[in-house]
Amino acid sequence: MTKSARVIASAMALAATISVANAQLAPQWRNCTGDLNLDWDLQIRNCTTLIQSGRETTGNRSIAFINRGLIYYARKEYERAISDYSEALRLTPRSVIAFHNRGLAYKNSGQLERGLSDYNEALRLDPKYASAYVARGNVYNLKGDKDRAISDYNAAIRISPDKLAYYNRGLAYYDKKDYDQAISDYNATLRYDSRYALAYANRGLAYYDKEDYDRALSDYNEALRLDPEQSTTYSNRGLIFAVRKNYDRAIEDYDRAIRINPKYAIAYFNRGLAYANKSDHDRAIAEYSDAIRYDYKESDVFFNRGNAYFNKKDYDRAVADYGIAINLNPQNASAYFNRGLVHSEKKDYDRALAEYGTAIRLNPNKASYYAERGSVYQIKKDYDRAIADYSEAIKIDPRDASAYDNRGDLYKIKKDYDRAIADYGEAIRLDPKDPSHYNDRGLAYYNKKDYDRAIADYSEAIKLDPKYGAAYDNRGNAYSAKKDYDRAIADYDQAIGINPQNALAHNNRGLAYLNKEDLDRAIESYSAAVKNSPKYANAYDNRADAYVEKGDFERAIADYSEAIRINANRPTYFVDRGDAYFAKDDNEHALADYNEAVRLNAKADWAFRYRGIFHLYSGNGAKAVVDINQAIELDPNDGMNALWLDIVNHRNNLPSRLAESAKQVDMKQWPAPIIKLYLGQYTTAAALAAVEEQTGRTKKDQTCQVYFFSGAWAMRQNAKEEAVRLFKQAASDCSKRAKEWQAAKAELKALGVNP
């Protein structure tokens, strides 16, 4: 917040009398007039001579005290002035001017009640004394009683309208934020005195607060033309340039204000704000510190210095300044909020939440407070509270597109994609030129497997921002999901062209090449991913998969190991490495990895199934039965669990449970055709026919499974030659990452056949 300052004139000129009791005046009266244009010391000496002469009448001595009091008042020697006016009143108790002038001295020495009492007495003695009404109005104004002040100014204007009555009434109306009436009074002031610089300066301030910056600037210019030594007006004019973002011009005006008044704290403060807006935080801090040094110790200066420290990431100093700002003004919600931002940056989220809570309690109508607290709840994975806060932010500011977008992100995390899409749609309606909203909605459609709509949204994001790398990357993922790998690769190429260090795009391009079985290019892309992001565990895991496909198990194991070194809490990495060890007949290491995968996620049915398959082909059928039973207990709807349980039960001479297990499986989905084969409802040919409608990688994987399970079924029928043919087909055509490839090789080995 910038700071403007009002320019206030003296309430009025002091009155003095030169009437004397007789026509024969002492010569000293020529230099005891209270005329501020005459030498002050000379006047004090002459008035003192007259007072002490013993030859003057009581009335004349009273006048001498009044006139000497005027000089003391002008010299700001208020106690001496009060003493002289009091002596005048002792001599002439009904002197209206003495009461009036002593009231001014009391007021300027901070004794407002005594000043008020003297003005009351002056007006009791002379109810038509307009200057006393103005003076009393000024005291009421200082006491914050604007209505009484205005009433007194009104009385003065009725009796004897002049520029000071209008001017001071304008100041009172300004304080009441009645800017139009204040401007009207300043206009009246200028009709009495068109060269009254202070009236222009304060009228400019009223126009500024009405955001009529052109008129304000015109008035400030005229005020400075008439009186170029007004430091406050330079500072106020600087505010207009700051509002217009012309910070260099603003700084020039603050410089002038400070040259005129080197201790002008508000000018230092405003100059600090200008430097802050220029992102020159070091200079801003220096200016705020100077403002503080010159006794501007308001909450807002510490608050803004805290902001500068925050922008410099000097969080400890920022917290200290926000703390001082809060101590000076415990109702400063912004200071609590910004201190919360510091705690968020320091990842002290509980403290951040406490600060945001206080800010909201102090100002419950600030949408950004709720939104920021919502973001912290999101980090803490307290999604329901985060949604509640974003909802409150939207309630306060229904046109905040970012709040809708952020709430959409949370619904997406909770897999409530329809609500997410609705929120992204509202964000788009409010801000249709922001490509991120389309990108985010595209992600929600992608998660709903509505790839065409996802692609349409990503395309719109790219249209709005052709350099939006993430949108290209995401559209590539959607094309990959549609098995349109060439278009996917083209999009990943675009993302990489925009940012060659985009490890995610390199990784995703590697996946597309892998699905096209272009293993060398896949490895090349994964290598680029890990080069640009050495801690990218998934890229190592994916490159290992490509090495597996090439049969290079040593390199695969090295990459799986690197992925595990980076993230030892991912069970899939251990299963993948276990499979590679198993393919190398390193059963000890394979079992250790399968065990670790189960330990890391004891609810992962696939981890138990894979370990069970390992046990089956490493000669431990009993453990295989235990593991596959655990897998089907964890997920009875997975048809692969049902099939493998049937195989291990058969190898262990246990009764089949497939018919019972099949009741839990969706028989319209894969691998229903293989289950039907085992239930005697399908032939191998029928199962293969069911695969024909598939394409690409899916077709290859499902065909592989038909060959393997058909081979196992042929073994049960004692059709060894058919079994060998089918197992060989699986060993030849299956992906080397498929369990069925490993199982087919193990079956052939058991049959004494070279795979």
Side-chain angles (χ1 to χ4, degrees):
M1 178 182 69
T2 53
K3 277 285 179 183
S4 52
R6 191 177 66 190
V7 187
I8 305 176
S10 301
M12 57 171 293
L14 292 175
T17 179
I18 57 171
S19 300
V20 292
N22 57 70
Q24 300 299 318
L25 295 177
Q28 288 82 4
W29 281 108
R30 287 194 297 272
N31 293 303
C32 176
T33 63
D35 185 346
L36 300 182
N37 293 313
L38 297 178
D39 182 87
W40 291 358
D41 290 331
L42 178 64
Q43 291 205 62
I44 289 171
R45 286 197 302 273
N46 278 272
C47 289
T48 301
T49 298
L50 291 167
I51 290 166
Q52 295 175 350
S53 69
R55 294 189 297 272
E56 298 296 327
T57 66
T58 299
N60 284 354
R61 288 181 63 211
S62 175
I63 291 170
F65 277 115
I66 290 172
N67 289 347
R68 188 174 71 175
L70 283 168
I71 303 305
Y72 283 135
Y73 178 87
R75 291 172 61 164
K76 299 184 180 179
E77 296 181 28
Y78 299 123
E79 291 303 321
R80 284 184 170 178
I82 289 166
S83 175
D84 274 0
Y85 296 139
S86 297
E87 192 61 27
L89 286 167
R90 185 184 66 79
L91 295 169
T92 55
R94 296 181 63 81
S95 173
V96 174
I97 291 173
F99 277 114
H100 171 268
N101 288 357
R102 189 174 70 175
L104 290 173
Y106 276 134
K107 186 260 279 188
N108 284 340
S109 67
Q111 302 178 69
L112 299 185
E113 293 302 329
R114 285 186 172 180
L116 196 60
S117 175
D118 275 356
Y119 298 140
N120 289 337
E121 186 60 21
L123 289 167
R124 186 186 69 80
L125 293 168
D126 183 0
K128 299 294 185 181
Y129 193 6
S131 293
Y133 281 110
V134 172
R136 189 172 70 176
N138 289 345
V139 172
Y140 282 133
N141 207 1
L142 287 172
K143 287 166 64 69
D145 193 340
K146 307 299 177 183
D147 292 328
R148 279 189 174 175
I150 290 169
S151 176
D152 272 354
Y153 299 139
N154 290 341
I157 290 167
R158 282 194 302 270
I159 296 165
S160 178
D162 67 4
K163 70 177 184 182
L164 290 177
Y166 281 109
Y167 175 77
N168 286 314
R169 189 173 71 175
L171 297 178
Y173 277 124
Y174 175 86
D175 286 339
K176 285 170 66 71
K177 301 188 188 314
D178 188 343
Y179 302 126
D180 290 328
Q181 186 59 53
I183 289 167
S184 175
D185 277 349
Y186 297 138
N187 291 340
T189 303
L190 291 167
R191 284 196 296 273
Y192 282 94
D193 182 355
S194 62
R195 297 183 59 80
Y196 193 18
L198 293 174
Y200 285 107
N202 281 293
R203 188 174 69 178
L205 189 58
Y207 280 130
Y208 175 86
D209 285 327
K210 282 170 63 68
E211 299 182 7
D212 188 343
Y213 300 124
D214 289 333
R215 284 180 172 167
L217 183 60
S218 175
D219 272 352
Y220 290 146
N221 289 340
E222 184 63 14
L224 291 169
R225 187 186 70 81
L226 293 167
D227 182 2
E229 296 301 310
Q230 287 186 7
S231 60
T232 302
T233 303
Y234 276 114
S235 182
N236 288 347
R237 189 175 70 175
L239 298 181
I240 294 178
F241 292 125
V243 167
R244 292 175 169 176
K245 303 190 186 312
N246 189 344
Y247 301 117
D248 291 329
R249 285 288 302 276
I251 289 168
E252 286 178 15
D253 270 354
Y254 301 140
D255 290 345
R256 291 176 182 177
I258 290 167
R259 279 199 297 271
I260 295 167
N261 180 3
K263 295 184 178 181
Y264 190 11
I266 288 176
Y268 286 104
F269 175 71
N270 286 340
R271 191 164 66 177
L273 292 174
Y275 280 125
N277 282 310
K278 285 168 64 72
S279 298
D280 189 341
H281 303 301
D282 289 323
R283 280 189 174 176
I285 288 166
E287 298 292 344
Y288 298 140
S289 299
D290 277 340
I292 293 165
R293 184 160 59 92
Y294 292 121
D295 289 328
Y296 184 63
K297 293 184 172 61
E298 299 293 326
S299 177
D300 53 359
V301 69
F302 289 99
F303 171 75
N304 281 286
R305 191 173 68 175
N307 291 343
Y309 281 128
F310 177 86
N311 287 317
K312 283 171 60 66
K313 301 188 188 310
D314 189 342
Y315 297 130
D316 291 334
R317 283 195 171 112
V319 166
D321 269 354
Y322 292 141
I324 296 171
I326 288 165
N327 288 337
L328 290 169
N329 179 12
Q331 303 302 307
N332 189 338
S334 295
Y336 283 104
F337 177 73
N338 284 11
R339 193 164 66 178
L341 293 175
V342 174
H343 291 312
S344 289
E345 289 293 327
K346 296 179 75 170
K347 295 181 170 43
D348 190 344
Y349 298 120
D350 290 329
R351 279 190 177 177
L353 288 174
E355 301 285 11
Y356 296 147
T358 302
I360 288 168
R361 179 179 58 78
L362 292 171
N363 185 358
N365 297 313
K366 190 83 168 178
S368 60
Y369 293 176
Y370 291 96
E372 197 62 38
R373 188 172 69 176
S375 71
V376 173
Y377 279 130
Q378 181 173 350
I379 291 169
K380 288 172 67 69
K381 300 188 186 327
D382 191 342
Y383 300 128
D384 291 331
R385 280 183 172 158
I387 287 170
D389 270 350
Y390 284 126
S391 297
E392 190 62 29
I394 289 166
K395 180 180 175 183
I396 294 168
D397 183 4
R399 300 196 60 77
D400 184 358
S402 64
Y404 282 103
D405 192 90
N406 290 334
R407 190 173 68 176
D409 289 344
L410 289 160
Y411 283 131
K412 188 167 62 185
I413 290 169
K414 287 168 68 71
K415 296 181 169 45
D416 190 344
Y417 300 121
D418 290 329
R419 281 187 173 172
I421 288 166
D423 270 354
Y424 294 138
E426 188 63 16
I428 288 167
R429 185 186 70 79
L430 292 167
D431 188 5
K433 299 300 183 183
D434 188 334
S436 68
H437 302 327
Y438 291 97
N439 182 68
D440 290 341
R441 189 172 68 177
L443 289 170
Y445 280 129
Y446 177 88
N447 286 320
K448 279 174 65 84
K449 296 183 169 41
D450 190 342
Y451 302 124
D452 290 329
R453 281 188 171 144
I455 288 167
D457 271 350
Y458 298 140
S459 297
E460 186 63 25
I462 290 165
K463 179 181 175 183
L464 289 167
D465 181 3
K467 297 295 184 182
Y468 196 175
Y472 282 108
D473 191 57
N474 290 331
R475 190 171 69 177
N477 292 341
Y479 281 129
S480 282
K482 285 169 65 71
K483 301 180 177 56
D484 190 344
Y485 300 119
D486 290 329
R487 280 187 175 174
I489 289 167
D491 272 350
Y492 298 139
D493 286 344
Q494 287 284 348
I496 291 165
I498 293 166
N499 177 13
Q501 283 75 49
N502 187 339
L504 182 63
H506 283 291
N507 178 71
N508 289 341
R509 187 173 66 177
L511 290 171
Y513 279 128
L514 184 65
N515 282 312
K516 282 171 64 71
E517 299 186 16
D518 189 340
L519 300 180
D520 291 331
R521 282 184 172 169
I523 289 169
E524 182 183 344
S525 286
Y526 296 138
S527 297
V530 298
K531 178 183 177 182
N532 287 300
S533 180
K535 299 294 184 182
Y536 194 175
N538 276 354
Y540 284 105
D541 186 71
N542 290 333
R543 188 171 69 177
D545 288 345
Y547 282 130
V548 166
E549 290 292 359
K550 287 171 71 72
D552 189 343
F553 296 109
E554 291 294 341
R555 282 185 174 172
I557 288 168
D559 270 354
Y560 289 137
S561 297
E562 184 62 17
I564 288 167
R565 186 188 68 78
I566 295 166
N567 182 2
N569 296 312
R570 189 81 177 266
T572 55
Y573 297 163
F574 287 97
V575 165
D576 289 343
R577 190 173 68 175
D579 287 347
Y581 280 127
F582 187 21
K584 283 171 53 65
D585 295 323
D586 186 344
N587 290 352
E588 180 182 352
H589 283 104
L591 180 59
D593 276 349
Y594 293 134
N595 287 341
E596 183 63 12
V598 168
R599 186 191 71 79
L600 287 170
N601 188 354
K603 293 185 178 181
D605 64 298
W606 45 268
F608 284 99
R609 184 171 76 236
Y610 288 0
R611 189 173 68 176
I613 294 169
F614 166 79
H615 283 312
L616 175 65
Y617 290 112
S618 61
N620 197 330
K623 286 186 176 180
V625 170
V626 172
D627 272 351
I628 304 298
N629 270 291
Q630 182 63 30
I632 203 166
E633 183 177 328
L634 288 168
D635 189 355
N637 305 123
D638 190 324
M640 280 297 164
N641 288 337
L643 284 168
W644 278 105
L645 180 63
D646 195 67
I647 287 176
V648 298
N649 280 345
H650 183 267
R651 298 291 171 88
N652 284 277
N653 298 314
L654 296 172
S656 173
R657 291 168 45 195
L658 185 59
E660 176 187 346
S661 298
K663 295 176 183 178
Q664 304 295 316
V665 177
D666 183 352
M667 294 302 287
K668 294 180 180 178
Q669 301 295 325
W670 192 261
I674 300 176
I675 294 173
K676 289 179 180 180
L677 171 68
Y678 274 57
L679 293 174
Q681 301 169 5
Y682 262 31
T683 63
T684 297
L688 286 170
V691 175
E692 283 303 313
E693 63 187 38
Q694 300 298 330
T695 59
R697 188 88 193 178
T698 302
K699 183 175 183 178
K700 178 175 180 175
D701 290 343
Q702 291 183 1
T703 301
C704 159
Q705 290 167 351
V706 171
Y707 283 135
F708 169 75
F709 284 106
S710 293
W713 180 252
M715 286 290 293
R716 293 190 194 184
Q717 314 307 314
N718 295 316
K720 181 179 178 181
E721 287 186 13
E722 179 65 5
V724 169
R725 183 185 73 80
L726 291 166
F727 286 143
K728 280 188 173 182
Q729 195 75 45
S732 171
D733 294 351
C734 285
S735 162
K736 292 181 177 62
R737 291 177 292 138
K739 273 296 173 187
E740 292 76 19
W741 177 80
Q742 292 181 327
K745 288 190 65 177
E747 294 285 0
L748 289 168
K749 184 177 180 181
L751 291 169
V753 177
N754 188 345

